[in-house]
Structures are given as structure tokens and as C-alpha cells.
Amino acid sequence: MVSLHSSLSNAPAKNAKQHFTRRSFLPDQQNVLWQIEKGFVRTFTYLEDGTTVALGLWGPGDTISKALSKIEPYQMECLTKVEVKSLLMEDWYQAQETLLAHIQQAQELMVIRSYKKVDTMLIKLLAWLSKKFGSQVEQGRLIDMRLTHEDLAEMLGSTRVTITRILGQFEEEGLIDRLSLHRIVVREEDIWYYEI
């Protein structure tokens, strides 16, 4: 049994900034919210058979916490170097906005995963990522999240091999450019026909 005193002493100081490395996990601390200031975090769970299920992707300005979910287990993995500010639940004043953002993202990802073909799911996911997290560059919108092919496969319930093959196909068709460090440029004007 953990005493109240020991759990309070392990809690981060109010509004304390913390840094986490790529592929590390944000701690699951009761009554603590993490407001992302720099970097990207994915939230996920896994099934009894080990299958990973993506729950969300979050970036600067987003607030995440195990306290916002009833899913067990609930993991918060840093996709890049991450800087977060800890917020105590009782001092949190943006509850409604954060909950709406979580609901909207869950619905958007649910629709993307509802397409029957993996290539359609992947192009929809890349378009969504470029709108939500991308930055404008000369060739299109740069997704600089360092998502691996395995990360993309887990988000879509597919395999790494399938995602690698489809990304190669998209690159051949001129829909995307793949850069080093798992960065992708989406050519927005060229993906419109997948919307039809």
C-alpha cells in the first residue's frame, strides 16, 4: 500500500518542465497532466495477444494523461525528444477544451481506420498528420515526427512490410517524398484523387 505522503513526494512540482528522450515513456502519475511544449507523443494500449492499438498522436499545445482514459494499459511514448510541463489536476482550467480535442482526435482516427484498403487508410493518415502536425515546405507538407513504418502499421492495424511496400508505391507515384530520419513530405495537391 502506498501512503499519501509518498505519492505526493514523487509527484512533479506544479508547472515543472521535464525533458524526455525519444522512445521513453511519460510517467503515469495520478492527478498529473502533461502539457506538451516540444516534441511528439503517441498514446497506445495493447491487447492480450500483444497487438498494439494506437489511441492518439499529440504535439505542442496538447495535454495528455492516463487520467483522461479508462483504457488499461495506457502508455504515453515519446516519438521524439519531448519537453512537457506538469499540471496538477485540481489546478487544470482547460478541461473542456482538452476533452473535446481528445474526442475529436479519436473520431478522426476511427474514420481513418474504417477504410477497407490499407493504402487508402495510409494516405488518409498521412494527410491527417500533415494537416495536424505538418509544416509547409516547398514540396508540400513535412511530417517531421520520426514515425517508423512499424509506428504507422500499429496505428492502422497493419504490418510493417505492407506499410513499407505502400510507402514505396506512394513515392513512385509522386504522392510523397521520404526523407532521412523517417520524415515524409506529403504532396497535398497530388493526393486529392484518393479523396474520390
Side-chain angles (χ1 to χ4, degrees):
M1 181 172 157
V2 176
S3 73
L4 181 60
H5 175 7
S6 67
S7 64
L8 286 175
S9 64
N10 292 333
K14 179 179 170 182
N15 292 325
K17 289 190 181 183
Q18 295 186 40
H19 298 269
F20 294 89
T21 59
R22 183 181 189 311
R23 295 296 178 192
S24 64
F25 291 85
L26 297 180
D28 173 16
Q29 296 177 319
Q30 279 201 326
N31 299 321
V32 174
L33 302 162
W34 302 106
Q35 186 172 52
I36 302 169
E37 299 208 337
K38 293 180 184 171
F40 299 97
V41 176
R42 76 174 180 145
T43 52
F44 68 94
T45 190
Y46 43 89
L47 306 177
E48 295 83 13
D49 67 0
T51 302
T52 300
V53 179
L55 300 174
L57 286 171
W58 313 98
D62 290 328
T63 302
I64 60 175
S65 173
K66 165 67 175 99
L68 300 174
S69 176
K70 289 190 179 259
I71 301 293
E72 283 292 338
Y74 185 87
Q75 300 287 313
M76 298 172 283
E77 181 184 26
C78 301
L79 294 172
T80 61
K81 290 180 182 176
V82 171
E83 181 180 312
V84 292
K85 180 170 61 173
S86 61
L87 306 170
L88 299 178
M89 189 76 89
E90 60 266 15
D91 296 335
W92 187 37
Y93 62 91
Q94 295 176 310
Q96 191 174 26
E97 294 157 26
T98 300
L99 292 173
L100 282 173
H102 280 249
I103 292 166
Q104 290 165 349
Q105 185 174 122
Q107 290 173 344
E108 290 167 339
L109 291 174
M110 191 182 324
V111 169
I112 289 169
R113 288 208 49 191
S114 295
Y115 286 92
K116 303 292 183 225
K117 295 172 57 182
V118 177
D119 61 340
T120 305
M121 282 192 281
L122 183 56
I123 201 69
K124 297 286 188 182
L125 178 63
L126 293 174
W128 180 79
L129 290 169
S130 73
K131 286 178 193 163
K132 182 164 174 64
F133 301 111
S135 58
Q136 194 64 45
V137 295
E138 189 177 323
Q139 305 90 342
R141 295 209 35 102
L142 172 65
I143 303 169
D144 190 10
M145 297 178 70
R146 294 185 169 197
L147 289 167
T148 65
H149 295 185
E150 184 69 27
D151 293 333
L152 294 169
E154 288 174 354
M155 291 188 67
L156 299 175
S158 185
T159 65
R160 183 198 54 76
V161 172
T162 300
I163 296 302
T164 300
R165 179 181 53 78
I166 295 171
L167 286 172
Q169 173 190 325
F170 288 167
E171 193 169 31
E172 284 178 18
E173 293 175 12
L175 300 175
I176 65 169
D177 289 322
R178 290 189 286 179
L179 309 175
S180 61
L181 302 174
H182 303 288
R183 295 175 305 154
I184 297 174
V185 174
V186 177
R187 298 179 181 271
E188 293 175 295
E189 67 278 359
D190 294 333
I191 64 169
W192 67 269
Y193 68 88
Y194 273 90
E195 304 290 327
I196 299 173

